Amino acid sequence: MSETLFAAMSEQLLAFNEDDLLKVIDEALTQGVIPADIIANGLSPALETIGTKFEAGEFFLPELVFSGQIMKNVLDKIRPHMVSEDSKSSGRVIMGTVEGDIHHIGKNVFISVLEGDGYEVHDLGEDTPPAIFLEKAKELNPDVIGMSSLISTGVSKMAETIALLKDNGIKSDIIIGGAAVTETNAALVGADAYAFDAWQGLRIVREMVAK
Amino acid sequence: MARDYQACHDRVANTILGGIPDRVPLYFLTSEDVSARIAGLTIREMMATPEILAEKSILVNDYLGGDGMSLAANPYCGPFEGLAFARANGKPEAFVWKDYTTPFIREGVVCKTEEDIENLVIPDHTKVEPWPTIFKAMSIVHEKTGMGAGNAAPSLTWSSVQMLRGSQAYLDVIQNPDLLLKLCEKIYESQWDYYQAFCKLVGTPSHIFEAAYAFNQHMLSFDDAWKFEGQFIARFAKASGLPMIIHNCGFKPYHIEMIEKLQEEGVYILAVNASHPLDLDWWVKFREKFPEITIMGGLHVNAEMESGTEKDVENRVKEVIQKLGGDGRLIITPTCCMPWRVPMSNIKAVREAVEKYGTYPINIT
């Protein structure tokens, strides 16, 4: 029975049909399906498919933003049903767009993919000064710190932020991404990894948290 | 050594028109970051008056030493158009100034609701700052150097869509395309006003430098890119009667499809300014397909310019000229704007490599 519901969830998410997706989730919750299974078996496979279609040029940013919005609403609905075991996160991530850059779409897509995979993500927002990254890193002790920038000038700010974190003894893994970033300059600014897109980022975060 | 402005101008013009100049031209797209660094002023200090902006723009371009002359505060309709919209619509707080980096408008604030789009006020570009300062500065630069005024740079339409509507625009593509088209029409109207103000205050430009940001596979499907941006580029080109240089610094651009479609619509494309694809063999094929379009690019500011050594830069310039420069129609242009992190030694290395390898006839072994 659950398998049928999980398949229906994936189908509705891939069709970007939020109303019907929420109905299926309601039905699953009524039947006693636990939230962790809804995320792992109903939503994550569809998110993976969306990522694959994006990488293949079949989906574009509108589909990513749309699915991100749907995921946010779905997770808001599921969250009150979580008991402590369900809400145990896959890992903790803090994520922000670096100072001087106020673009947020890529960051937000990445956050929704991470949350869909069960991570606890703290969004620091846009135009985030290095000192705020440091303050939140000290406060939350995240497994991973993510930084995003669309603009070419953002890489310098990433370097400054990473230097500040390391100078202050922050041991979290650092992943960077965004249109301005390349694999080469990721290494030069002291990041542990670079992700081309949200799904590559998810795979890297899984590896970082698992090690 | 003082730059010979006339020689610089002729080198670029000759190349774009299909001639063989004395050497491959070099054109730096100045950014606020690199300009503030060279001028020693914050962005707002640099833009305080047209006279200061003009003086510092000449200083910055002379220091960089290419063949171009663009304003130190990049005069394309990106962030500063966002500022004009924010001011015209009573939301100046949406604009974020930075001392040494490009300022930005907070995305999605100006057109948060449908009502905001309905009531969107188009800025009068002859009156709403920073445009009067920018246009006046361009005129001063032109008076002093004979350069820097040929280049009107509207942005039709996606750059402004993103600034005004933010990520909601991507939901609109699916959920409310008619509303999004209404916003695109208003942006077109604004860009036409910009163009008319440019003609009035600076003079009729020789061409349009158009940023085509929607035409990237990581942004929109090609059909949507055409629907929400391409058709407006074509309309603008027809209405102005001017040829275009198409700028696209995304990393998965639809160059071929976009140019073919624009040409079908009768748009005359002089040049393409791009950072991607990075594979020069792709550009060799592009050259075969579009032999009359000048390639402006070759170096990616976030690749060898930012992260490489001087030798890396020299080798890349050499390879670009070897593969693309033999028959002209090449302007070496690190793309997009140079960020603060680019070492001055790499800027110098580009200049020296262009001098070393770019003299016609090209003879690189």
Side-chain angles (χ1 to χ4, degrees), chain A residues 4-17:
Chain A
T4 310
L5 289 170
F6 294 146
M9 287 176 205
S10 288
E11 187 184 332
Q12 297 305 334
L13 183 51
L14 282 169
F16 306 104
N17 193 338

Side-chain angles (χ1 to χ4, degrees), chain A residues 99-100 157, chain B residues 32-37 40-47 96-104 340:
Chain A
E99 187 174 29
K157 194 53 72 173
Chain B
E32 285 76 9
D33 305 47
V34 78
S35 299
R37 190 170 156 203
L41 297 179
T42 66
I43 311 301
R44 270 175 289 190
E45 286 172 330
M46 216 158 45
M47 297 182 72
V96 182
W97 284 97
K98 295 286 176 184
D99 284 346
Y100 306 110
T101 57
T102 304
F104 271 102
W340 185 90

Side-chain angles (χ1 to χ4, degrees), chain A residues 70-130:
Chain A
I70 293 171
M71 278 301 296
K72 184 175 182 305
N73 294 338
V74 165
L75 291 171
D76 285 347
K77 186 176 186 64
I78 290 173
R79 210 163 276 126
H81 299 271
M82 289 179 168
V83 294
S84 59
E85 189 58 26
D86 295 328
S87 59
K88 189 179 171 193
S89 80
S90 306
R92 182 179 291 161
V93 179
I94 66 173
M95 182 73 210
T97 304
V98 295
E99 187 174 29
D101 188 349
I102 54 171
H103 293 91
H104 56 265
I105 295 172
K107 169 180 69 68
N108 290 355
V109 169
F110 188 36
I111 287 172
S112 69
V113 168
L114 288 172
E115 287 184 336
D117 209 55
Y119 288 88
E120 172 195 338
V121 186
H122 296 262
D123 183 2
L124 306 186
E126 299 81 49
D127 192 22
T128 309

Side-chain angles (χ1 to χ4, degrees), chain A:
Chain A
M1 189 62 181
S2 294
E3 294 307 316
T4 310
L5 289 170
F6 294 146
M9 287 176 205
S10 288
E11 187 184 332
Q12 297 305 334
L13 183 51
L14 282 169
F16 306 104
N17 193 338
E18 182 174 344
D19 290 345
D20 287 350
L21 174 58
L22 290 172
K23 281 179 196 163
V24 180
I25 287 173
D26 264 338
E27 193 181 337
L29 290 169
T30 305
Q31 290 185 18
V33 180
I34 62 169
D37 284 346
I38 290 175
I39 292 172
N41 301 320
L43 302 174
S44 284
L47 282 175
E48 292 269 3
T49 304
I50 289 168
T52 305
K53 284 177 176 284
F54 177 69
E55 285 167 359
E58 294 170 37
F59 279 172
F60 304 91
L61 211 39
E63 286 83 3
L64 298 197
V65 175
F66 201 4
S67 62
Q69 180 188 261
I70 293 171
M71 278 301 296
K72 184 175 182 305
N73 294 338
V74 165
L75 291 171
D76 285 347
K77 186 176 186 64
I78 290 173
R79 210 163 276 126
H81 299 271
M82 289 179 168
V83 294
S84 59
E85 189 58 26
D86 295 328
S87 59
K88 189 179 171 193
S89 80
S90 306
R92 182 179 291 161
V93 179
I94 66 173
M95 182 73 210
T97 304
V98 295
E99 187 174 29
D101 188 349
I102 54 171
H103 293 91
H104 56 265
I105 295 172
K107 169 180 69 68
N108 290 355
V109 169
F110 188 36
I111 287 172
S112 69
V113 168
L114 288 172
E115 287 184 336
D117 209 55
Y119 288 88
E120 172 195 338
V121 186
H122 296 262
D123 183 2
L124 306 186
E126 299 81 49
D127 192 22
T128 309
I132 297 296
F133 273 100
L134 177 60
E135 181 187 320
K136 290 296 175 185
K138 283 180 174 173
E139 178 190 329
L140 298 166
N141 190 25
D143 299 292
V144 178
I145 298 171
M147 296 175 201
S148 169
S149 183
L150 180 80
I151 57 175
S152 56
T153 53
V155 180
S156 300
K157 194 53 72 173
M158 286 175 171
E160 184 184 333
T161 307
I162 293 168
L164 183 71
L165 292 169
K166 293 194 171 173
D167 286 351
N168 283 274
I170 302 298
K171 304 290 184 199
S172 312
D173 284 323
I174 296 171
I175 182 169
I176 65 176
V181 186
T182 65
E183 194 140 23
T184 307
N185 54 30
L188 286 172
V189 300
D192 297 294
Y194 153 80
F196 178 75
D197 61 26
W199 286 272
Q200 188 186 18
L202 172 62
R203 289 191 286 273
I204 292 167
V205 168
R206 281 175 181 159
E207 287 169 14
M208 285 172 160
V209 173
K211 75 184 179 189

Side-chain angles (χ1 to χ4, degrees), chain B residues 252-272:
Chain B
K252 281 191 176 178
Y254 295 115
H255 289 312
I256 303 283
E257 302 93 318
M258 181 185 66
I259 290 169
E260 285 179 338
K261 182 81 172 163
L262 286 170
Q263 287 181 333
E264 271 174 36
E265 294 285 326
V267 179
Y268 180 26
I269 297 170
L270 289 170
V272 170

